[in-house]
Amino acid sequence: MSKPVGPVLRMSDDVDAIVAAIVDDNPGREVTVVDRGAYTRVSGDGELRVTRESIERHLGRGFEMRQLEGLMSAFAGRIDMTSEEVRWRLKSGEPGAPA
Amino acid sequence: MARMAREKWYDIARDLDWELSYVDYEEVFPEWMSGQGKVPREAWAGWDEPYKVTYPEYVATQREKETGAYSVKAVLQKSRIFDQLDEGWKSVAKEHFGAVALVEDLAAYAELRMARFGLSPAWRNMATFGALDETRHAQISLYFPHALVGKDPQYDWAHKAYHTNQWAVIAARATFDGMMMNPNVVDVAVQLPFTFETGFTNVQFVALAADALESGDINFANMISSIQTDEARHSQQGGPTLEILVEHDPRRAQWIIDKTFWVSARLFAVLTGPGMDYYTPLPMRRQSYAEFMQEWIAGQFVDQLHDYGLKKPWYWDEFMAGLDTWHHSLHLGVWYWRPTVWWKPQGGVSPEERDWLHEKYPHWEEQFGPAWNVIIGNINDGRIELTLPETLPWLCNLCHLPIGTAGSPRNEKYPVRSYPLTYNGYTYHFCSRPCRQIWWEDRDTLYDPTVIERLLGGQIQPLTVEGILTWMGLTPEVRGEDAYSYRWARPYAARRRPGDRPGDRPGGAETGTRDRGGQAAHTQEPAGQGQPVPVNALFEDDFVTQLVVVRDTDTVDQAARKVAAQVVGRRVPPRDAGLVVRFDGMAVPGDITVAESGISALDVVNVGWAGGHQ
């Protein structure tokens, strides 16, 4: 993985559901999960996204995207956050950007 | 009632701003505070934070975080978990609290400066949240250890440390004042949120949480990782600021990052490195300090730098090499000078721990093993006084850490040495070329005398170890001692490792080991025996340079023995050989006086064995 991006999630009951949602929302993209106990690093190459809808489906309850903040101690790459979706990416990974 | 989605109204509300009519723009945003520099005023309108949050969202989320952190604390406080924690691990937490709690408070002021002088309303809005965040961090970082003060007075230093002149606090204060309080807010945004909070704080607050949880300190792990969720958000002030700066003044952007990265790396080598590789119990270590730094800094942060069109700092190879040495050297120093810290350093060099160190750091044994062997021998022979300091290491005029700790013994590329610079007739000393270069560029904004300079300037009285400790605010009940009363050294008494000589007794050298008349900084001599000449002295194969006060009437041989007395039999094994002094690259005859040799105050003096390196 040359440009790993993605969230670093702190210990909580919801980590597995968030990871499952990320896997669902990034079909065809390799997602790497490294569990270091107090934190879990989730990485994709160049870009990863997760939607509120997928998180709710895996949690089995309602979820506001702002609540992700309380679970995410750090992240790699740049972040874009709306009420429905969060994306982590590197600008240099975008089409037309220098490698 | 359905609410309009945040992104449909956020940008308009966030960009609400004043058109100034009663005052000039420059009066509201003076250059020395706002730091616009070469960036056109209109460029700041493009400042767009990527991590958006509204005030109601902020309040709801922070409430949930606080509830989580304090409820865990409330439950664990009733348990015996704290009493069962490893003493070495507790020192990780104590060091963290003292070094960090009031820096969080300082960071609130840095955020408030950006909230006032930031050059776009979006930035000022985000900085306001940042100030609230940092206030929470200061409060929680004081409240948690406060509950432990009754069990252990060293936790009192969570609040006390920054009100003292303890040496590590001076180092941290110099670094963080330079990052948060001295610069204009554009520089602050690139230094603090971008370089420090997206880089280094992850190592201390996320990576360290992994060791904390393994060590059973659930409370601490929960607290620091909760804090870092705020940092992940407000650190995003750095990116938009950097993006604008890179477009209009890339050279300034690169320089700000380069210097901040270096001083942060130096500080973390003492703040985080020893805790991860020595204090954390061996079975609980998730990764080594170098591995954590590789993951968070060499990998993640450098990817980010490249993404903004910036390069690795000019000293990159030196920094990477330092991941294998700096914190080992600083650990050895903290342990040797342990009465000067507010925690209990765990030696961490038992045979099993040593095997781990050798596996993680292939050159550890060669570079640091010999010094620990001498220390272990002294411990097992009951000569504890030789494992305690009688003088101080010479300190770097930029990072304030001991000179020598940016290198290591028996390291040809980055040796133990001072990098002096004489400016306006005064000689400054640095641990490394990058520290010297940063000092030179920023010299007009730096004013933090080192402990050595304060000592030589007469601020510390009396000139005894006790006087120095008292001046640093270290009362007897909090002074550091070995976490386990040297338990880790005992196995060597019965077990010899191939090539080790940890039980050998010092002796036989024609040096201070026989003539223990070593004149430490504090040693009082009869009046009328010449003038004191404080020198920055390095003994061959030692890991730091030290303050040694010789007399101008001493012969060079006598001066050499005074230097040797602080090192030989303490960290360097004795040898059946004479001593030779080198000054300005030349060997100096032993029978002339210090005055005749040209050695004067603040000079660098090297002492080694006659006959050369063996």
Side-chain angles (χ1 to χ4, degrees):
Chain A
M1 198 175 287
S2 63
K3 295 177 188 299
V5 297
V8 176
L9 304 166
R10 63 193 294 256
M11 50 186 179
S12 99
D13 290 342
D14 296 339
V15 168
D16 289 348
I18 305 286
V19 172
I22 292 173
V23 171
D24 271 8
D25 285 334
N26 296 274
R29 192 181 290 275
E30 184 189 344
V31 178
T32 305
V33 180
V34 177
D35 181 357
R36 298 207 195 281
Y39 69 91
T40 302
R41 182 183 282 277
V42 188
S43 307
D45 196 14
E47 180 171 339
L48 272 189
R49 63 190 283 269
V50 69
T51 61
R52 183 172 66 85
E53 186 186 354
S54 295
I55 294 174
E56 287 187 340
R57 189 170 63 250
H58 284 280
L59 281 176
R61 58 178 156 81
F63 186 82
E64 292 178 54
M65 214 36 135
R66 64 154 186 87
Q67 292 175 294
L68 187 64
E69 180 183 315
L71 307 174
M72 184 170 62
S73 290
F75 53 86
R78 305 194 195 200
I79 194 167
D80 290 306
M81 186 178 259
T82 70
S83 307
E84 297 299 322
E85 180 188 60
V86 177
R87 287 202 310 154
W88 300 270
R89 66 192 169 84
L90 284 175
K91 200 172 178 182
S92 51
E94 292 174 351
Chain B
M1 188 178 70
R3 283 191 296 186
M4 187 186 284
R6 180 223 297 141
E7 44 277 12
K8 292 191 174 169
W9 58 269
Y10 180 86
D11 286 355
I12 295 174
R14 177 203 68 174
D15 287 337
L16 181 67
D17 204 0
W18 283 268
E19 285 185 7
L20 305 174
S21 57
Y22 295 100
V23 288
D24 293 335
Y25 182 89
E26 288 73 21
E27 287 179 271
V28 180
F29 298 108
E31 174 64 23
W32 65 281
M33 276 297 213
S34 291
Q36 192 158 288
K38 294 179 182 174
V39 182
R41 189 187 301 177
E42 58 275 14
W44 297 105
W47 198 100
D48 184 29
E49 75 278 36
Y51 198 145
K52 299 184 194 320
V53 64
T54 66
Y55 186 69
E57 287 175 330
Y58 179 84
V59 172
T61 306
Q62 297 305 97
R63 180 179 180 279
E64 289 164 7
K65 290 180 189 175
E66 289 280 87
T67 304
Y70 284 88
S71 57
V72 169
K73 177 181 182 297
V75 170
L76 294 178
Q77 200 162 330
K78 297 184 194 319
S79 76
R80 291 185 180 172
I81 283 184
F82 175 81
D83 300 319
Q84 292 161 0
L85 289 176
D86 180 272
E87 198 62 43
W89 170 260
K90 286 181 187 172
S91 279
V92 177
K94 289 174 195 170
E95 183 180 5
H96 172 96
F97 284 127
V100 169
L102 289 196
V103 174
E104 303 280 15
D105 187 51
L106 195 69
Y109 292 93
E111 295 285 346
L112 286 169
R113 294 178 72 224
M114 293 192 286
R116 166 61 183 82
F117 294 103
L119 292 160
S120 94
W123 180 4
R124 297 195 292 272
N125 185 50
M126 202 165 182
T128 306
F129 291 134
L132 293 170
D133 289 339
E134 299 294 1
T135 302
R136 163 172 116 89
H137 303 172
Q139 289 171 341
I140 199 169
S141 300
L142 290 172
Y143 187 73
F144 276 49
H146 183 259
L148 305 172
V149 172
K151 296 182 185 233
D152 185 337
Q154 288 185 322
Y155 284 96
D156 190 34
W157 272 59
H159 187 255
K160 181 175 176 179
Y162 268 77
H163 300 288
T164 73
N165 281 319
Q166 194 273 347
W167 62 269
V169 168
I170 289 177
R173 205 154 48 209
T175 299
F176 292 118
D177 280 354
M179 193 183 295
M180 303 185 199
M181 303 313 288
N182 296 350
N184 60 67
V185 298
V186 169
D187 286 14
V188 170
V190 177
Q191 293 195 73
L192 175 63
F194 185 82
T195 312
F196 193 69
E197 289 174 345
T198 61
F200 289 91
T201 57
N202 282 329
V203 180
Q204 183 70 15
F205 286 83
V206 189
L208 191 60
D211 281 352
L213 193 62
E214 287 294 318
S215 299
D217 200 346
I218 301 162
N219 214 15
F220 186 80
N222 191 41
M223 183 201 73
I224 59 176
S225 65
S226 172
I227 285 175
Q228 196 63 11
T229 63
D230 294 356
E231 304 277 331
R233 172 177 30 74
H234 73 231
S235 68
Q236 299 307 304
Q237 294 170 83
T241 311
L242 183 63
E243 195 148 33
I244 292 170
L245 193 61
V246 166
E247 186 181 346
H248 297 279
D249 196 351
R251 197 171 164 192
R252 176 179 166 197
Q254 184 79 51
W255 169 250
I256 297 167
I257 289 171
D258 288 357
K259 71 174 180 179
T260 311
F261 187 97
W262 181 265
V263 294
S264 302
R266 290 292 295 144
L267 191 62
F268 268 62
V270 68
L271 175 62
T272 318
M276 286 181 166
D277 282 359
Y278 293 89
Y279 305 169
T280 299
L282 184 58
M284 316 305 184
R285 292 177 199 165
R286 272 277 171 174
Q287 294 192 103
S288 69
Y289 173 68
E291 288 165 341
F292 275 125
M293 290 291 281
Q294 285 277 357
E295 175 186 347
W296 288 95
I297 304 294
Q300 183 173 324
F301 184 71
V302 168
D303 282 348
Q304 186 141 318
L305 271 188
H306 289 152
D307 203 45
Y308 283 91
L310 296 169
K311 297 177 290 189
K312 287 176 189 166
W314 84 88
Y315 47 71
W316 191 254
D317 291 346
E318 186 168 355
F319 160 71
M320 290 300 291
L323 292 182
D324 289 335
T325 60
W326 292 1
H327 68 294
H328 298 305
S329 192
L330 286 158
H331 169 64
L332 177 53
V334 166
W335 189 88
Y336 198 87
W337 273 268
R338 56 199 177 281
T340 69
V341 297
W342 66 86
W343 62 91
K344 294 176 186 168
Q346 134 84 330
V349 192
S350 68
E352 295 74 23
E353 289 164 322
R354 200 163 172 157
D355 288 342
W356 183 88
L357 287 164
H358 183 64
E359 179 199 328
K360 298 289 184 185
Y361 304 94
H363 295 290
W364 186 93
E365 193 62 59
E366 167 196 344
Q367 295 178 335
F368 299 100
W372 282 106
N373 285 342
V374 177
I375 289 170
I376 290 164
N378 284 334
I379 291 171
N380 285 330
D381 287 346
R383 295 189 299 261
I384 298 299
E385 74 281 3
L386 294 182
T387 73
L388 288 163
E390 290 181 4
T391 185
L392 291 176
W394 204 282
L395 299 166
C396 173
N397 271 100
L398 187 82
C399 71
H400 292 260
L401 297 177
I403 287 178
T405 60
S408 53
R410 291 162 283 276
N411 179 344
E412 284 186 12
K413 194 158 187 189
Y414 301 109
V416 176
R417 58 159 288 190
S418 177
Y419 295 84
L421 173 69
T422 300
Y423 175 63
N424 284 345
Y426 183 83
T427 301
Y428 298 86
H429 294 269
F430 301 92
C431 68
S432 58
R433 288 188 185 90
C435 270
R436 184 167 62 181
Q437 186 166 342
I438 294 165
W439 184 90
W440 176 250
E441 296 283 345
D442 281 4
R443 62 193 181 281
D444 293 339
T445 62
L446 297 170
Y447 182 71
D448 270 303
T450 67
V451 172
I452 292 290
E453 288 172 319
R454 295 168 203 238
L455 187 144
L456 296 177
Q459 289 182 32
I460 303 174
Q461 298 291 342
L463 278 179
T464 59
V465 170
E466 182 63 32
I468 292 167
L469 294 173
T470 301
W471 178 81
M472 288 183 181
L474 288 146
T475 45
E477 75 280 10
V478 299
R479 290 173 193 168
E481 53 193 37
D482 186 83
Y484 284 114
S485 302
Y486 315 106
R487 182 179 78 190
W488 54 273
R490 302 297 178 213
Y492 293 98
R495 169 185 164 178
R496 297 290 176 91
R497 293 161 58 93
D500 288 352
R501 301 187 308 164
D504 287 358
R505 299 184 67 90
E510 298 171 7
T511 68
T513 50
R514 196 176 284 168
D515 171 13
R516 281 238 155 266
Q519 304 303 312
H522 64 279
T523 306
Q524 302 293 322
E525 288 193 356
Q529 292 194 358
Q531 294 300 311
V533 181
V535 295
N536 179 1
L538 170 65
F539 194 92
E540 182 179 314
D541 289 341
D542 197 16
F543 79 110
V544 283
T545 73
Q546 297 183 108
L547 167 67
V548 177
V549 181
V550 299
R551 298 260 162 191
D552 61 357
T553 50
D554 285 343
T555 65
V556 168
D557 274 342
Q558 286 174 316
R561 282 198 289 276
K562 289 180 178 179
V563 173
Q566 298 302 326
V567 181
V568 176
R570 292 170 174 271
R571 299 182 295 270
V572 169
R575 195 183 290 180
D576 195 9
L579 299 173
V580 62
V581 171
R582 288 187 178 79
F583 175 58
D584 270 349
M586 305 285 287
V588 184
D591 55 353
I592 63 172
T593 66
V594 166
E596 289 165 345
S597 74
I599 294 171
S600 57
L602 309 188
D603 279 339
V604 175
V605 173
N606 291 293
V607 182
W609 301 109
H613 200 282
Q614 288 181 8

